[in-house]
Amino acid sequence: MLRRGVLIVIFEKKRILFILPSLNGGGAERVTCNLMNNLSRNHFEIGLFLYTKKGDYFDLLAPDISVYYVREDGCANKLEILKKLIEVSQDYDVLFG
């Protein structure tokens, strides 16, 4: 769309869902938290899918990150994880895990 000689680009934010087993202390978990926190909110909506609601890094997450988990107690079986992941991922453009 052109308006007074300026190109205006209209786009929708991409929705990215990151997938991890938990946020237990580890390098991959910390790097993923840093990556999610530093992605531009002008271009992306961020979600995090966890198999279990456990871990040391919840404090590192930006408040606008949507967090989904299968179970709080960590006793989810593979079928429960897959069912919940399919349900949650329907709203996202990109899955990263």
Side-chain angles (χ1 to χ4, degrees):
M1 166 189 287
L2 283 175
R3 184 180 296 166
R4 293 188 225 157
V6 177
L7 178 63
I8 299 173
V9 179
I10 299 173
F11 63 91
E12 290 184 25
K13 290 182 180 181
K14 291 290 182 191
R15 300 195 74 210
I16 301 176
L17 181 66
F18 289 84
I19 303 165
L20 290 173
S22 70
L23 286 180
N24 283 335
E29 291 82 358
R30 187 176 188 96
V31 168
T32 302
C33 287
N34 288 335
L35 178 62
M36 290 187 297
N37 288 337
N38 290 297
L39 285 172
S40 170
R41 296 311 192 263
N42 294 328
H43 297 102
F44 303 104
E45 290 183 31
I46 310 298
L48 174 62
F49 180 88
L50 301 170
Y51 302 172
T52 176
K53 188 180 180 181
K54 290 184 179 179
D56 305 324
Y57 293 144
F58 280 97
D59 299 357
L60 298 179
L61 293 177
D64 63 339
I65 295 174
S66 301
V67 179
Y68 309 92
Y69 54 92
V70 182
R71 296 182 66 167
E72 287 192 44
D73 61 8
C75 297
N77 64 43
K78 292 177 184 175
L79 187 59
E80 285 178 299
I81 294 168
L82 184 59
K83 181 180 174 186
K84 182 75 171 184
L85 180 58
I86 290 170
E87 176 187 317
V88 170
S89 67
Q90 299 299 312
D91 295 330
Y92 286 86
D93 302 311
V94 178
L95 304 181
F96 187 86

